[in-house]
Amino acid sequence: MSARDHTRSDKLFAEASGLMPGGVSSPVRAFSAVGSHPFFVERASGATITDVDGNQYIDLVQSWGALLFGHAHPEIVRAVADAAARGTSFGTPSELEVEMARTVVGMIPNVERVRFVSSGTEAGMSAARLARGATGRTKLLKFTGCYHGHADALLVQAGSGVATLGIPGTPGVTDGATADTITCEYNDLDEVRSVVEPFSDQVAAILVEPVAANMGLVVPNDGYLEGLRAIADEIGALLVFDEVITGFRLAAGGAQERFQVRADIVLLGKIIGGGLPVGAIAGSAELLDQFAPTGPIYQAGTLSGNPVAMAAGLTNLQMIQADPGIYDRVQERARSLVRGLIDAADHAATVPLYAAAIGGLAGFFFSEDEIINYSQAAATSEETYAKFFRGMLERGVYLPPSRFEALFIGDAHTEDHVDHIVHAAADVFATLR
Ligand SMILES: *Cc1c(COP(=O)(O)O)cnc(C)c1O
């Protein structure tokens, strides 16, 4: 196989590195953990992404899970263009927000009110404030390897780019900002019980990714989410599901629908914006009405509820509502990919492979054993992942550039794409040791 040409990407990366830290606007986009540097994108359509040197890739990152229907879906592009023509920002309420809020409240269980923001990070920081303000308590419990955005209080033992870059505690976050953040290993209820014991009347919220997708893909053990619900009820804490990834990806109603476990606050991001910057905090009227202006808890945003972003998000959600089979389809495709990868790895017999799929999420680790938490994920080889990543990229498959991220399967991925990916993987597995 002839090496791909990366001349223009390399040149842009050199320029970008002199203008932006690491040449990127967000650290997860750097290819540092896979011993490479990023390609620069010219355009993308459906399941494929094309770089400035004309190389095409089957994209399994899909803007980090923001896209469910693939890149540049015509309906969303049209909605964006129509909305932009009527004005890109009003700074005043619009009908689109009402429709969007009605749609979110209709789709997500146990939710009566929604506050729109512009990113998952904003949703996470606002939820922490709401939980503390509403309960009058200070402590937050989160799980190692879960990522809830980069707000100070939540940037403790975080997954995603923090794990990828091996940043222990982040400089610039004061001890004070994280003194009230408690961390536990994912999938271990006994640890949660013993850790909260001395503080049981001080915990404002338990925050969790109901399916962890920022330490690679780690699915919850049977009964785990029910157990967190029970502990939260016992100690009078709020249960916050960070559904920035799982929302509209596991089911139309997210993880609450999929696992039949109720959350007090739901964080949304990524898919909710249909590729534009939207996040949301959703929950009961009693809780959400404590935000200003109805309540005393301040939270605001100049571009919150932006009409172009609302148009993209609303169109995306309406496409989901119009297509009840979508979650079965994407899950079947994700499972088919995972089966193919496992068979190919078995056949090559060079490296052990553990893989899982749920909804439009897939993930794999180079491990003999099932991976149920961050410690186990972190013990897998970064070097093997890096070699695999580079081999796949050379064969036209764009995987996440870190073993601490999930693969995103959407409606644009076909069985032909899966075949291509599995064949490429078979080739690359054969070269691994
Ligand atoms: C991506 C992510 C966030 C942060 O969202 P941004 O839009 O990147 O700020 C928060 N929580 C989870 C679970 C995420 O995957």
Side-chain angles (χ1 to χ4, degrees):
M1 175 161 300
S2 64
R4 288 166 173 249
D5 178 26
H6 296 290
T7 314
R8 275 190 52 75
S9 272
D10 289 350
K11 184 165 173 290
L12 283 170
F13 183 66
E15 283 174 34
S17 299
L19 295 165
M20 299 181 283
V24 291
S25 296
S26 183
V28 296
R29 298 175 199 171
F31 283 16
S32 40
V34 289
S36 183
H37 51 252
F39 57 85
F40 281 62
V41 176
E42 166 85 27
R43 71 166 69 86
S45 171
T48 59
I49 199 161
T50 306
D51 72 14
V52 290
D53 292 291
N55 302 299
Q56 270 206 6
Y57 306 95
I58 300 171
D59 179 14
L60 289 168
V61 181
Q62 295 287 316
S63 189
W64 303 89
L67 307 172
L68 182 62
F69 291 95
H71 293 280
H73 191 284
E75 280 187 54
I76 295 176
V77 172
R78 198 177 317 120
V80 167
D82 288 352
R86 293 192 298 272
T88 53
S89 180
F90 307 132
T92 167
S94 76
E95 190 170 350
L96 277 166
E97 281 168 273
V98 183
E99 270 315 301
M100 179 75 169
R102 201 197 316 281
T103 304
V104 171
V105 168
M107 291 175 83
I108 305 291
N110 308 309
V111 152
E112 296 169 312
R113 296 275 191 282
V114 54
R115 166 65 51 97
F116 292 115
V117 292
S118 300
S119 70
T121 289
E122 272 186 274
M125 64 187 268
S126 306
R129 184 174 305 147
L130 178 62
R132 285 167 158 166
T135 59
R137 297 172 170 200
T138 52
K139 294 202 185 296
L140 303 171
L141 186 122
K142 75 173 287 289
F143 299 93
T144 305
C146 283
Y147 181 65
H148 305 297
H150 64 86
D152 284 2
L154 300 175
L155 208 54
V156 183
Q157 307 269 320
S160 187
V162 185
T164 303
L165 299 172
I167 297 170
T170 305
V173 174
T174 63
D175 293 345
T178 57
D180 287 316
T181 308
I182 310 167
T183 56
C184 285
E185 196 82 80
Y186 194 78
N187 267 331
D188 184 347
L189 289 171
D190 288 338
E191 189 189 356
V192 176
R193 284 195 199 92
S194 65
V195 163
V196 298
E197 240 245 76
F199 314 105
S200 57
D201 58 349
Q202 297 168 45
V203 180
I206 300 175
L207 284 98
V208 68
E209 286 182 66
V211 170
N214 282 290
M215 49 173 126
L217 180 68
V218 174
V219 291
N221 290 341
D222 284 346
Y224 179 63
L225 298 172
E226 290 86 343
L228 293 180
R229 177 72 265 175
I231 294 169
D233 287 341
E234 243 163 71
I235 64 175
L238 299 173
L239 182 62
V240 180
F241 275 6
D242 181 343
E243 298 224 43
V244 170
I245 283 180
T246 55
F248 311 111
R249 180 160 289 283
L250 297 185
Q256 291 189 96
E257 177 184 327
R258 173 87 194 208
F259 296 105
Q260 294 293 310
V261 174
R262 181 179 58 82
D264 298 298
I265 297 176
V266 176
L267 308 183
L268 296 164
K270 299 193 170 122
I271 289 178
I272 196 179
L276 269 80
V278 180
I281 309 117
S284 66
E286 189 193 349
L287 271 176
L288 269 281
D289 283 346
Q290 299 194 40
F291 273 138
T294 31
I297 302 172
Y298 200 71
Q299 195 289 331
T302 301
L303 291 179
S304 297
N306 173 270
V308 181
M310 292 287 109
L314 179 60
T315 302
N316 201 43
L317 297 189
Q318 288 169 340
M319 287 163 64
I320 293 171
Q321 289 180 311
D323 184 359
I326 183 164
Y327 294 104
D328 287 343
R329 279 203 314 281
V330 294
Q331 175 161 283
E332 188 36 54
R333 194 110 313 140
R335 286 185 174 161
S336 159
L337 173 63
V338 156
R339 280 194 303 268
L341 291 176
I342 291 172
D343 287 350
D346 280 353
H347 189 257
T350 49
V351 285
L353 191 84
Y354 163 74
I358 181 169
L361 288 168
F364 63 88
F365 291 100
F366 292 109
S367 166
E368 300 278 0
D369 305 311
E370 186 185 2
I371 300 288
I372 62 159
N373 61 36
Y374 178 73
S375 302
Q376 295 173 352
T380 63
S381 166
E382 179 175 73
E383 198 193 323
T384 306
Y385 187 88
K387 277 192 202 154
F388 185 65
F389 170 90
R390 294 194 303 264
M392 292 298 278
L393 198 67
E394 192 55 39
R395 288 163 181 79
V397 180
Y398 174 40
L399 294 169
S402 161
R403 71 196 193 287
F404 298 125
E405 307 285 356
L407 276 54
F408 295 98
I409 316 299
D411 201 42
H413 294 107
T414 63
E415 211 44 45
D416 282 350
H417 292 125
V418 169
D419 283 349
H420 180 108
I421 297 163
V422 169
H423 278 111
D427 280 0
V428 183
F429 286 141
T431 69
L432 297 178
R433 282 289 154 264

